[in-house]
Amino acid sequence: MSNTSEWPTEYLYKFIVPTDARKIEEVENAFDNMGAVIKTHQSKAGKYTSVSINVMMESPADVVEKYIEVSSIEGIISF
């Protein structure tokens, strides 16, 4: 079995941000006009929101570039 992917491919980003409409919007805006499917889910206590984003990416470099772009959002956790 091969560990390589063919590009372009659909990629799933997962982030956790403090529950703050502005921060969630910043994450969503980073994927604006890319045809991304974005799902959010608030934690039980409501302190954090998970943001899952399925989007077609052209290359591994583009994936990394997007992680770098959103890393400036205060409190964001990428996994």
Side-chain angles (χ1 to χ4, degrees):
M1 179 153 67
S2 174
N3 287 335
T4 60
S5 295
E6 288 189 28
W7 297 88
T9 192
E10 190 170 298
Y11 189 81
L12 175 61
Y13 287 92
K14 293 187 138 220
F15 305 105
I16 295 176
V17 292
T19 299
D20 174 330
R22 191 179 70 242
K23 291 180 184 182
I24 296 166
E25 185 178 356
E26 283 183 66
V27 175
E28 292 174 345
N29 287 345
F31 295 88
D32 201 23
N33 298 317
M34 294 180 67
V37 176
I38 302 172
K39 296 179 183 173
T40 60
H41 185 267
Q42 203 171 74
S43 66
K44 198 180 281 190
K47 190 172 180 183
Y48 295 98
T49 298
S50 69
V51 183
S52 299
I53 302 166
N54 271 306
V55 64
M56 190 63 70
M57 298 303 287
E58 292 297 317
S59 70
D62 289 340
V63 170
V64 172
E65 188 177 304
K66 197 55 78 174
Y67 275 117
I68 292 168
E69 180 183 339
V70 300
S71 69
S72 64
I73 299 169
E74 185 183 342
I76 193 166
I77 301 168
S78 304
F79 60 98

